[in-house]
Amino acid sequence: MEFVTVLLVAVALIVMVTLVKAVRIVPQQRQDVVERLGKYKRTLNPGLNLLVPFVDAVRTKVDMREQVVSFPPQPVITSDNLVVSIDTVLYFKVIDAARATYEISNFLQAIEQLTVTTLRNVIGSLDLERALTSREEINRHLSGVLDETTGRWGIKVTRVEIKAIEPPASIRDSMEKQMRAERDRRAAILTAEGHKQSQILTAEGDKQSAVLRADGDRQARILQAEGQAKAIRTVFDAIHQSNPSQKVLAYQYLQALPQIANGTANKVWIIPAELTKALEGMGGALGGLSQMVGDQPTPEAADHASAVEREAAEAAQAAAAAARQIHDEVRVAEAQATGGHGPQRLPAPEPVSPGSLLQDPADQRERG
């Protein structure tokens, strides 16, 4: 009985182990490579799979997800013989598990070495300046070469990125100095350009202000001249329209004569000998107002005749006094100039009385 029990237990264990060997559950995004008696048989997809116990065996379990590998810095020599250190990051995924298993023994190491050699070839044809500024071009070249080579391994390189390019310390210092000098040069250029534009704008403003000021002055002079011309034209037209007589003109001259004599700037007056005759003529004109042809007083002006005569007499007296004063000043100036020993002066004209200015020249001729 004991032997039978042991046999049954052994059979049960064999059945359990066989079932375990026959059933294989593969998770998502993974493929298992199965060999039968050491030869590739098939690839197990995610899910429940059955194997032949003790005949089929799983060779490798391949992760089908995209993977990221960061390679350590690699020294690379540029075309201008400078050693730079480059870090790269690789993105890839396995698209054929059987080929990735049997075509190459270690595809990750192969990808790393292929990346390093390709990077050295690419960077070796570029100088430092272009290598620092051509990352996109280097990435595209690396991605193309790696994808073409790893395609037969059942691997797809999706992306290659250069993480860092580190030049030597001395080159970094030189580059910093060069960058600082370039920035200083740009700053100086911008400052000079700003100063230039400021001076140009200031000059333009001064020019425009001067032009506007000159134009305003010209317009003001033109308007002032037009105003003066219009005023003269208006006065001239008014005089001609009013048709003034000789007595009015003589009266206005007598009123203006004392003002001319009282000027502070008038130091020396030269009185012509004909001044007394002119005054006598104006007096005769004022005395014979009633006998002038076409100048008879109107009935409305008869009431003011006496007042006009009084004003004319006062104006004649003032003019005679101013003339005598000017004559005396002239004599004193001549005496000071000759020192009392100069040539004999002409006899002074006879003084004109205010009454003679108001007498009629015709009556004077009759008395003469």
Side-chain angles (χ1 to χ4, degrees):
M1 292 295 295
E2 293 180 358
F3 177 75
V4 175
T5 303
V6 172
L7 183 59
L8 291 176
V9 171
V11 171
L13 289 175
I14 292 172
V15 171
M16 290 180 60
V17 171
T18 302
L19 291 176
V20 171
K21 291 287 186 178
V23 177
R24 174 70 63 175
I25 298 176
V26 180
Q28 185 67 31
Q29 292 294 328
R30 197 185 81 180
Q31 290 183 353
D32 294 347
V33 178
V34 178
E35 293 180 349
R36 178 172 291 180
L37 301 177
K39 182 180 179 181
Y40 170 74
K41 176 62 177 178
R42 62 190 177 114
T43 301
L44 301 181
N45 294 321
L48 179 62
N49 296 273
L50 297 177
L51 300 176
V52 178
F54 307 104
V55 176
D56 294 339
V58 177
R59 167 71 182 271
T60 56
K61 300 176 181 179
V62 181
D63 191 352
M64 306 300 293
R65 295 174 297 178
E66 186 173 3
Q67 302 179 39
V68 181
V69 180
S70 178
F71 300 132
Q74 300 294 329
V76 180
I77 300 176
T78 61
S79 62
D80 48 356
N81 297 323
L82 293 176
V83 180
V84 294
S85 179
I86 300 179
D87 297 345
T88 55
V89 178
L90 182 67
Y91 297 83
F92 71 95
K93 64 185 299 184
V94 179
I95 59 177
D96 191 340
R99 295 172 64 183
T101 302
Y102 295 104
E103 293 293 337
I104 190 168
S105 61
N106 190 345
F107 63 86
L108 188 60
Q109 183 180 2
I111 291 174
E112 179 181 359
Q113 296 300 322
L114 181 61
T115 302
V116 172
T117 56
T118 306
L119 189 62
R120 287 178 177 175
N121 292 332
V122 174
I123 299 298
S125 62
L126 303 175
D127 57 3
L128 180 60
E129 294 292 336
R130 190 176 176 186
L132 293 174
T133 58
S134 303
R135 293 193 177 189
E136 292 295 332
E137 181 181 353
I138 297 173
N139 293 337
R140 286 195 301 269
H141 190 77
L142 284 175
S143 179
V145 172
L146 291 175
D147 188 49
E148 180 181 0
T149 305
T150 59
R152 63 176 182 269
W153 299 340
I155 298 172
K156 174 68 175 178
V157 177
T158 58
R159 190 178 184 88
V160 179
E161 291 291 340
I162 294 179
K163 186 166 61 176
I165 300 177
E166 296 293 336
S170 59
I171 301 300
R172 288 199 301 269
D173 295 339
S174 300
M175 293 173 62
E176 290 178 0
K177 292 179 181 179
Q178 181 181 2
M179 184 179 299
R180 190 178 302 110
E182 180 67 20
R183 293 185 181 276
D184 292 341
R185 183 182 67 85
R186 292 179 181 178
I189 291 174
L190 291 177
T191 303
E193 288 289 339
H195 186 62
K196 175 184 175 181
Q197 291 295 331
S198 175
Q199 289 183 345
I200 290 174
L201 293 177
T202 302
E204 288 290 339
D206 294 340
K207 175 184 175 182
Q208 293 181 5
S209 63
V211 170
L212 293 176
R213 194 179 301 111
D215 186 67
D217 191 11
R218 182 178 64 86
Q219 293 291 338
R221 290 177 181 272
I222 291 174
L223 293 176
Q224 185 178 4
E226 290 178 353
Q228 292 179 356
K230 187 175 181 180
I232 294 173
R233 190 181 303 111
T234 302
V235 173
F236 184 76
D237 293 341
I239 292 174
H240 279 276
Q241 289 176 3
S242 61
N243 193 14
S245 60
Q246 290 292 335
K247 64 180 183 179
V248 176
L249 296 177
Y251 179 64
Q252 291 293 329
Y253 182 80
L254 290 176
Q255 283 184 336
L257 188 60
Q259 297 179 1
I260 296 174
N262 291 330
T264 57
N266 299 330
K267 300 303 181 181
V268 179
W269 281 73
I270 300 175
I271 302 176
E274 291 80 2
L275 177 60
T276 55
K277 296 181 180 180
L279 294 175
E280 291 178 358
M282 287 184 290
L286 292 174
L289 293 176
S290 60
Q291 297 179 2
M292 296 180 66
V293 179
D295 197 16
Q296 296 296 330
T298 60
E300 292 79 2
D303 297 336
H304 302 283
S306 59
V308 172
E309 291 179 357
R310 285 194 301 271
E311 291 180 1
E314 293 175 358
Q317 291 178 0
R324 287 195 298 270
Q325 183 179 359
I326 293 170
H327 183 69
D328 294 339
E329 292 179 357
V330 170
R331 294 179 60 187
V332 172
E334 290 178 354
Q336 293 178 356
T338 57
H341 302 285
Q344 296 296 327
R345 298 186 300 273
L346 296 175
E350 295 181 358
V352 181
S353 63
S356 63
L357 296 175
L358 299 176
Q359 292 179 0
D360 189 1
D363 297 339
Q364 294 178 3
R365 286 194 300 271
E366 289 178 359
R367 286 193 300 268

